[in-house]
Amino acid sequence: MKRKLFVILAFVVLFAADKALAWSGLTHNAIGHIADQHLTPEAKAKRNHYLHHTLAYYASWQDEVAWATQYTETRFWHSVRFDARNRFEYRDGRNAITHISRIWKEMRNGGYKRLDDSTIIVNLKLLTHMVGDMHCPSHNMYDSDPRIKRFSIFHKGKKVHWHKFWDSSASTYFHKGWTCQDYQKNLDKLSPKQIAKICKGTPEQWAKQNGKDMREPYSLLIRYTELDEMPSENVARMVEIVDLQILRGAYRLAYVINDIFKE
């Protein structure tokens, strides 16, 4: 009995640790909710048919099933790594971009009609999470750059690892008291032309842009420094970046799903 209890507790601890390394539920919900507002009538009807719920509802699904046997491999589909020259590293498919591109290609141009419903449902849930995750600053990793690879800051005297900081940035360190509906109301103000510019390209090209742009937020953090003691302009810029990444993730998610269900 004690051994069984130990195994259960160990599982809970591991699951909690994995969840701590995921962009917060609030952020994923905000991305899903904004994306929901930009679905075409055709895509919205298909979303309702397959998911029986909103994208926001399933925005954190991939985190929640990460330790289920059939989804263990998906634990490696949350991030993107770049080399010293900012080139995307495929790592044998253990990245978000490979699987966003694979699912999109498989389902677009009427391809989803050749799949069974259960596959379509899982694919939509994965897309909803991975497109959001690839826009989180800490899910863009630079293993060859020691300035970014490993460091911590402090928040109210407590050491916070850079990965946890960015993953929890909107829900904890930059929390505005907003719900996902508030994020949509306050941020979702771009023109159709601006949205089209954000969505132009492929997941690989979006990743390349993120790989370039997400070096900035790391440079704004001052190592082993209390967050409240960092320059106010640094903090304000970090908030701007997080908000922009939420919008990018939302618009691109809607773009992918609209494209899949346009036929």
Side-chain angles (χ1 to χ4, degrees):
M1 181 65 181
K2 289 184 178 180
R3 178 176 175 79
K4 184 177 181 180
L5 179 60
F6 175 81
V7 171
I8 293 173
L9 289 174
F11 179 88
V12 171
V13 170
L14 286 171
F15 181 76
D18 184 72
K19 291 285 285 182
L21 296 180
W23 211 357
S24 71
L26 171 63
T27 313
H28 276 297
N29 289 347
I31 289 172
H33 181 69
I34 295 172
D36 276 318
Q37 314 314 307
H38 289 268
L39 294 180
T40 63
E42 295 79 11
K44 189 171 291 186
K46 292 295 184 183
R47 177 210 64 189
N48 291 340
H49 173 74
Y50 290 111
L51 297 182
H52 303 290
H53 227 302
T54 63
L55 298 178
Y57 183 83
Y58 286 110
S60 296
W61 177 86
Q62 189 175 341
D63 287 332
E64 294 162 359
V65 301
W67 291 94
T69 303
Q70 65 268 42
Y71 297 115
T72 299
E73 181 63 21
T74 67
R75 284 182 289 155
F76 303 98
W77 300 358
H78 297 259
S79 59
V80 188
R81 284 179 164 80
F82 301 90
D83 65 15
R85 298 171 64 181
N86 207 45
R87 293 176 300 191
F88 166 50
E89 296 181 351
Y90 285 89
R91 294 185 174 241
D92 297 323
R94 289 192 162 190
N95 64 83
I97 305 306
T98 292
H99 298 284
I100 293 171
S101 299
R102 172 185 60 79
I103 293 172
W104 191 3
K105 182 178 180 181
E106 184 180 59
M107 294 183 67
R108 70 185 310 194
N109 297 322
Y112 73 92
K113 298 175 184 178
R114 296 187 290 272
L115 303 175
D116 59 73
D117 285 4
S118 61
T119 299
I120 294 171
I121 291 167
V122 169
N123 281 348
L124 289 175
K125 292 176 181 179
L126 288 171
L127 282 175
T128 299
H129 191 84
M130 291 189 295
V131 175
D133 254 0
M134 70 171 282
H135 290 87
C136 178
S138 58
H139 287 235
N140 292 268
M141 302 180 181
Y142 309 88
D143 293 342
S144 59
D145 191 337
R147 297 171 300 171
I148 296 175
K149 188 175 181 180
R150 293 285 183 272
F151 67 90
S152 297
I153 65 165
F154 287 91
H155 181 246
K156 301 187 185 305
K158 184 177 179 180
K159 183 182 286 189
V160 181
H161 189 268
W162 65 267
H163 197 141
K164 181 180 179 181
F165 171 79
W166 286 116
D167 284 354
S168 305
S169 53
S171 62
T172 303
Y173 307 107
F174 302 145
H175 188 46
K176 307 171 186 178
W178 287 1
T179 64
C180 57
Q181 290 84 0
D182 292 327
Y183 269 95
Q184 190 271 324
K185 178 181 177 180
N186 289 289
L187 299 183
D188 186 16
K189 299 179 179 181
L190 274 62
S191 68
K193 186 175 181 179
Q194 290 172 313
I195 294 173
K197 184 177 180 181
I198 287 174
C199 295
K200 183 179 180 180
T202 65
E204 289 82 359
Q205 290 169 324
W206 300 339
K208 185 176 181 180
Q209 180 185 32
N210 279 339
K212 179 181 178 181
D213 293 351
M214 291 304 98
R215 291 180 181 272
E216 181 187 1
Y218 291 107
S219 71
L220 296 168
L221 285 175
I222 303 174
R223 292 168 177 256
Y224 305 110
T225 300
E226 179 67 41
L227 180 63
D228 291 342
E229 296 176 3
M230 294 184 193
S232 58
E233 58 269 26
N234 284 33
V235 176
R237 178 56 183 156
M238 286 188 278
V239 173
E240 287 180 357
I241 290 170
V242 170
D243 288 349
L244 173 60
Q245 290 300 98
I246 288 173
L247 279 181
R248 282 176 170 174
Y251 293 147
R252 288 167 176 168
L253 173 59
Y255 179 77
V256 170
I257 294 178
N258 286 338
D259 183 65
I260 286 172
F261 292 127
K262 70 180 180 181
E263 294 186 18

